[in-house]
Amino acid sequence: MKNSAPIRVFLVEDSLVALTILKRILASSSEMNVVGTAPNGVEALERIPAAQPQVICTDLHMPRMDGLELTRRIMADYPRPILVISTSVNTQEDSRNVFKLLQAGALDVFPKPSIDSLSDYEQVKNELINRIKVLAGVTVFTRHASRTATVEPRTQPVSPKPVSNSQFSIGNSPFSLAKVVAIGASTGGPQALHTILKQLPANFPVPILCVQHISEGFLQGLVDWLQGECFLRVTIAQPGEFPKQGTVYFAPERHHLQLNTQGRLITVSTPPVSGHRPSVTALFQTVATCYPRSAIGILLTGMGRDGADGLQAIAQAGGTTIAQNEQTCVVFGMPKEAIALGAVQHILPISEIAPMLLNRISSFRVI
């Protein structure tokens, strides 16, 4: 990156204070070049064609045109990687709206820097610059969505059509013994999780344990959004609870999600694993120990290698391992590392993961 041209970034932000902080952060890096700004979506659409940015950073709440409508228009007319920079929100409605931007085509969320966060300026600066660098390497495609989006009524998922065995590796994977599904994801994960979970019925017969790398303050919003989109119960894991079928448990912020010897959920603040807390590998390794030969591990889109060693542990314990394929990943990092280790038995496009689970698990009644 040192010898290449700076990444062209466009900022859409109506707060002068926040805009000043963002410009200051990006100006501190020779790898970033702010090529334009706008206080709302209307003016952004007027300026983006001439600015030709590689990455667009947008707020959610803005006058005249908010971030959601802006994202829809950009993805229809000028598709670019979009980073949502927003304050972490506490109301369910605002939480869901942040993640509706991801559903509309934005790739990631990042907490809006404020005067209060300047004490951690170096950390905020490094995290934001790294996030933009990752997104600058992502290819996005035009989405021909309706200008006036409508909300489709949720209906129970129908029984899936049989999936061709030619898509899977040859072997005797113990799907009939499955007692738990464990999923790990990072950049692009909320969209991937949405694709999988919305296809599963409320009576899905095993619990699902998840680790999603996400900026602090946005986890509850992710849970609220998925709960509103899915039939499964979606929650943040509480220590001491036995995982229940038909429920999706997310690792809490700043804590690893694991299982004790009795099979109860525990959350621990031990040091980061693979640079992350919560860590996908930390979850997968404990799942492999507690459910040898009866766990399914799924590694989705994300940068880095968190989850690769954990997926290998599940495979070595006799479980079943799945990785999202390169073509449907936002960032083909974590799955690629697991494949390189020989830890992956099945490589699937994101749309085929839930049908595989439904065909191979839901026909078995797990007690």
Side-chain angles (χ1 to χ4, degrees):
M1 185 66 73
K2 289 183 179 179
N3 297 324
S4 60
I7 296 168
R8 299 169 62 84
V9 183
F10 195 99
L11 303 175
V12 191
E13 173 58 65
D14 64 323
S15 165
L16 184 58
V17 172
L19 182 62
T20 301
I21 294 172
L22 289 171
K23 290 172 69 175
R24 173 185 166 188
I25 288 174
L26 298 183
S28 70
S29 170
S30 61
E31 298 176 288
M32 300 287 136
N33 179 23
V34 177
V35 295
T37 66
N40 56 64
V42 172
E43 294 184 40
L45 290 175
E46 294 171 353
R47 300 171 187 174
I48 285 171
Q52 288 296 304
Q54 293 167 265
V55 177
I56 297 169
C57 301
T58 183
D59 190 10
L60 168 61
H61 293 296
M62 297 178 292
R64 300 184 67 189
M65 182 186 292
D66 65 11
L68 179 56
E69 180 61 19
L70 173 63
T71 296
R72 289 171 177 155
R73 299 284 188 94
I74 289 171
M75 296 310 297
D77 299 331
Y78 319 105
R80 298 285 191 280
I82 298 173
L83 175 63
V84 182
I85 300 182
S86 179
T87 53
S88 56
V89 287
N90 296 319
T91 68
Q92 280 196 348
E93 184 61 27
D94 277 353
S95 296
R96 290 177 183 174
N97 283 338
V98 166
F99 288 93
K100 283 180 181 177
L101 268 75
L102 300 188
Q103 198 171 356
L107 297 182
D108 207 352
V109 295
F110 190 83
K112 184 184 294 188
S114 65
I115 297 297
D116 294 336
S117 67
L118 292 185
S119 58
D120 303 317
Y121 179 77
E122 285 300 315
Q123 180 180 347
V124 172
K125 180 185 79 172
N126 293 334
E127 288 182 0
L128 177 58
I129 289 172
N130 287 336
R131 199 73 61 92
I132 291 174
K133 286 166 66 176
V134 169
L135 297 188
V138 175
T139 301
V140 295
F141 301 95
T142 300
R143 292 195 180 190
H144 297 289
S146 170
R147 297 291 190 182
T148 54
T150 58
V151 178
E152 297 181 1
R154 291 195 300 153
T155 57
Q156 278 284 357
V158 297
S159 298
K161 296 178 180 179
V163 182
S164 170
N165 287 332
S166 64
Q167 295 178 342
F168 312 134
S169 64
I170 299 174
N172 295 318
S173 300
F175 282 95
S176 61
L177 301 177
K179 295 181 181 177
V180 67
V181 174
I183 305 177
S186 187
T187 307
Q191 303 95 313
L193 286 165
H194 178 268
T195 299
I196 294 172
L197 298 179
K198 73 177 182 180
Q199 298 182 65
L200 302 180
N203 63 349
F204 188 68
V206 300
I208 301 173
L209 311 181
C210 291
V211 168
Q212 167 66 53
H213 300 159
I214 195 166
S215 296
E216 189 169 340
F218 289 100
L219 177 62
Q220 187 62 58
L222 172 63
V223 168
D224 291 342
W225 173 61
L226 290 174
Q227 181 64 83
E229 295 280 320
C230 305
F231 291 96
L232 299 165
R233 175 176 174 250
V234 186
T235 187
I236 297 174
Q238 298 299 316
E241 186 174 0
F242 276 116
K244 299 180 180 66
Q245 67 180 42
T247 302
V248 182
Y249 299 91
F250 276 88
E253 293 179 337
R254 294 175 292 179
H255 289 78
H256 298 303
L257 176 60
Q258 298 181 318
L259 295 159
N260 66 15
T261 54
Q262 287 78 43
R264 293 181 183 270
L265 297 172
I266 58 173
T267 60
V268 296
S269 56
T270 48
V273 176
S274 302
H276 295 280
R277 189 177 65 200
S279 161
V280 180
T281 282
L283 171 63
F284 283 1
Q285 287 177 337
T286 189
V287 165
T289 300
C290 292
Y291 292 97
R293 299 177 302 282
S294 59
I296 297 178
I298 304 173
L299 195 55
L300 303 177
T301 173
M303 182 181 66
R305 69 178 318 276
D306 186 28
D309 294 330
L311 205 66
Q312 187 175 49
I314 291 176
Q316 291 175 342
T320 300
T321 58
I322 302 169
Q324 185 178 352
N325 71 347
E326 182 175 6
Q327 290 77 12
T328 62
C329 279
V330 171
V331 181
F332 189 57
M334 289 157 46
K336 181 180 180 180
E337 293 291 337
I339 292 167
L341 277 181
V344 179
Q345 299 161 3
H346 311 286
I347 304 171
L348 296 174
I350 190 64
S351 61
E352 295 299 334
I353 294 177
M356 184 179 190
L357 294 178
L358 286 167
N359 275 285
R360 301 303 185 97
I361 296 179
S362 59
S363 60
F364 297 96
R365 184 163 182 83
V366 179
I367 305 300

